[in-house]
Amino acid sequence: MDAKTLCLGALSRGDASGYEIKKAFEEGPLSHIHEASFGAIYPALTELERQGLVTGREMAQEKRPDKKVYALTEDGLRALHLALLAPPARDKTRSDFLFILFLGHRVAAPRLAELIDGRIAWYQDCLSRMEACDLSAGPPGETFVHGLGLAVYTAARDYLVAHRADLLAAVAEHDRLVAE
Amino acid sequence: MDAKTLCLGALSRGDASGYEIKKAFEEGPLSHIHEASFGAIYPALTELERQGLVTGREMAQEKRPDKKVYALTEDGLRALHLALLAPPARDKTRSDFLFILFLGHRVAAPRLAELIDGRIAWYQDCLSRMEACDLSAGPPGETFVHGLGLAVYTAARDYLVAHRADLLAAVAEHDRLVAE
DNA sequence: CATACATATAGCCGCCCGATATAAGGATGG
DNA sequence: CCATCCTTATATCGGGCGGCTATATGTATG
C-alpha cells in the first residue's frame, strides 16, 4: 500500500488533517498495522487533492495553529475500494529488538535483561490501552484487528515473561563456554 | 538498523554471499525479523568492504555462476557489537493484510474469507517449517526468537480460526444495515 | 523447444523516512 | 519570570531503500 492509499484509508474513517492522519498511524487505531510519515503524508494529500480524490478546507482554531481538514470524495472512495481489492503485498517487519535478541549471545546479559524488561513493559502498556478501548460499536474489521492485536501481544508478552530467565541463563552460559 | 548493520549481523552467523544474505532475510532465520533487499544489500557489502569491515573473495562454482563470499573482519565484529548496543528503533510493521482487514466492512465477505483463509494457510505453513527446525544446538538468542515467533504465530493463527466466522457474519450484517 | 524458476551480481529510479524548518501555545523547572 | 521542552500544525529535503530491470548460467516443466 502506498502513502496515498493509506491516507484514503485513514480518511474513510472520517475527515482529518495531515497531522491527525499521522497520529492515527503513530498511536491511533492504525498503529501496528502500517507506517506513514509526515514526509509521505503531506505530499500524498497534496497529490490526492490534485487528483480530485480528496477535498481540503482550512479550519481556524483557537489556541492552536489553523489546520487543513481533508475529506474523501466519491472518486476517492472508489479508488480506495479498488486498492483494497488488489492482492496485498506480503507483510514486512523491521524489528531492531528482534534483531538484537537474535544475536543476543553477542550482548551482555544485563543489557539484554534491560531490553526484554522494556519490551515487556511496552506490551503491558499497549495491552492496557487496548483493553481500555470499547470497539463494540465500531466497524467489524476494526474490532477483529483489535482482537487479533490483543491475542498476538498477549502471546508475545507471556512468552517473554516465561522465557526471560532461561534466555539470560543461556546467554551467560554461552559466554562462559566461549571464554574457555 | 541500516542495511550495513543487517549485513554485518547476517555475516556474524557465517560467511555468505549477497544472494545468501538476501535468502537469510527472505526465507531463512532472519525472515520476519528485519527486511533487506538486493538494492540495499549489494551497495552495503561494497561499502563495508571499502571500510574494511568485511572481506570478499571470489568462489568458483560448478553448474552455477561464480559467487563472491564475504567474511567479517575484526573491525566488522566490533562495529556490529557497537550497533547492537545502540538503543533499538521502535518496531515497524507494514501489513497490507491488516490494513484490508481493518477496513473489512468495505470488502465483500467472500473476498475477506479468501484473504483470511490464505493467511491461516500461510501461518500453518510457517509454523510447520518452524516446528521442523531443531535449534536446540544453536545460539540462545536464535532459539529464543524462534520460540517467540512460534508463540506469536500460533496465537495469530488461532485467533483467525476462532473468529473467522464472526467477522464474516458481522461484515455481512454491516453490509445489510448500510444497504437499508 | 519455449517458458519459468533458481542461482548470482549489479544498477537505477521513484518512494519514503527522518530530519530540519517555521510558528503558536501550554507545561515545567530553575 | 524566563528558558526549555512538548504539543499542535504544515512543509520540504536529502539520503536510504525497495522494486524493478538487466545480464548470465543452469535446471525444471509443459
Side-chain angles (χ1 to χ4, degrees):
Chain A
M1 294 304 184
D2 67 352
K4 291 199 284 293
T5 303
L6 295 176
C7 287
L8 291 178
L11 291 172
S12 73
R13 299 182 73 250
D15 299 355
S17 64
Y19 187 83
E20 285 162 346
I21 290 174
K22 167 65 168 164
K23 281 303 183 185
F25 279 96
E26 198 168 66
E27 46 190 71
L30 287 156
S31 54
H32 316 129
I33 289 180
H34 235 287
E35 296 283 326
S37 63
F38 284 127
I41 289 172
Y42 284 110
L45 288 173
T46 303
E47 177 63 14
L48 289 170
E49 189 172 27
R50 192 191 67 74
Q51 291 176 338
L53 304 185
V54 304
T55 55
R57 69 181 188 280
E58 286 282 335
M59 174 175 284
Q61 294 198 116
E62 288 202 19
K63 295 181 182 298
R64 292 179 167 185
D66 295 346
K67 66 181 179 182
K68 186 170 181 179
V69 175
Y70 294 86
L72 276 187
T73 60
E74 286 297 310
D75 283 343
L77 193 53
R78 265 195 287 281
L80 174 61
H81 283 149
L82 274 177
L84 293 178
L85 291 180
R90 67 175 184 77
D91 290 6
K92 295 183 179 61
T93 299
R94 310 183 71 91
S95 174
D96 286 4
F97 172 70
L98 289 181
F99 189 73
I100 295 172
L101 271 196
F102 185 81
L103 298 173
H105 49 290
R106 299 184 179 285
V107 179
R111 173 60 180 155
L112 267 194
E114 190 184 0
L115 286 169
I116 293 172
D117 290 340
R119 183 54 59 116
I120 289 174
W122 183 84
Y123 277 129
Q124 298 277 49
D125 185 55
C126 277
L127 288 164
S128 296
R129 296 165 188 264
M130 288 167 83
E131 275 147 9
C133 286
D134 177 23
L135 301 191
S136 54
E142 296 192 20
T143 309
F144 188 82
V145 168
H146 179 264
L148 175 57
L150 272 170
V152 163
Y153 282 11
T154 299
R157 190 267 322 265
D158 289 350
Y159 183 89
L160 291 182
V161 166
H163 294 82
R164 176 188 183 285
D166 290 341
L167 173 68
L168 295 179
V171 161
E173 175 67 4
H174 184 274
D175 289 348
R176 195 179 67 76
L177 291 177
V178 168
E180 283 182 1
Chain B
M1 294 304 184
D2 66 352
K4 291 198 282 294
T5 304
L6 297 176
C7 288
L8 291 178
L11 292 172
S12 75
R13 299 181 74 250
D15 299 354
S17 64
Y19 186 85
E20 286 162 347
I21 290 173
K22 168 64 168 165
K23 281 303 183 186
F25 280 97
E26 198 168 64
E27 47 189 72
L30 287 157
S31 55
H32 317 129
I33 288 180
H34 235 287
E35 296 282 326
S37 61
F38 283 128
I41 289 172
Y42 284 108
L45 288 173
T46 302
E47 178 62 14
L48 288 170
E49 189 171 26
R50 192 189 67 74
Q51 291 176 338
L53 304 185
V54 306
T55 55
R57 69 181 188 280
E58 287 280 335
M59 175 175 283
Q61 294 198 114
E62 289 201 19
K63 295 180 181 299
R64 291 179 166 183
D66 295 346
K67 66 182 179 183
K68 186 169 182 179
V69 175
Y70 295 86
L72 274 189
T73 60
E74 286 297 310
D75 284 343
L77 194 52
R78 264 194 289 282
L80 174 62
H81 283 147
L82 274 177
L84 294 178
L85 290 179
R90 67 174 184 79
D91 290 6
K92 295 184 179 65
T93 298
R94 311 184 71 93
S95 174
D96 285 3
F97 172 71
L98 289 182
F99 188 73
I100 295 171
L101 271 197
F102 186 81
L103 298 173
H105 48 291
R106 299 185 180 284
V107 178
R111 173 59 180 157
L112 267 193
E114 189 184 359
L115 286 169
I116 293 172
D117 290 339
R119 182 54 60 113
I120 289 173
W122 183 84
Y123 277 129
Q124 298 278 48
D125 185 54
C126 278
L127 287 164
S128 295
R129 298 166 189 260
M130 289 168 82
E131 274 147 8
C133 285
D134 177 22
L135 300 191
S136 54
E142 295 192 20
T143 308
F144 188 82
V145 168
H146 178 264
L148 174 58
L150 272 169
V152 162
Y153 281 11
T154 300
R157 190 264 326 264
D158 289 351
Y159 182 88
L160 291 182
V161 166
H163 294 82
R164 177 188 183 284
D166 290 342
L167 173 67
L168 297 179
V171 161
E173 176 66 3
H174 184 274
D175 289 346
R176 194 180 69 76
L177 291 177
V178 169
E180 284 180 1

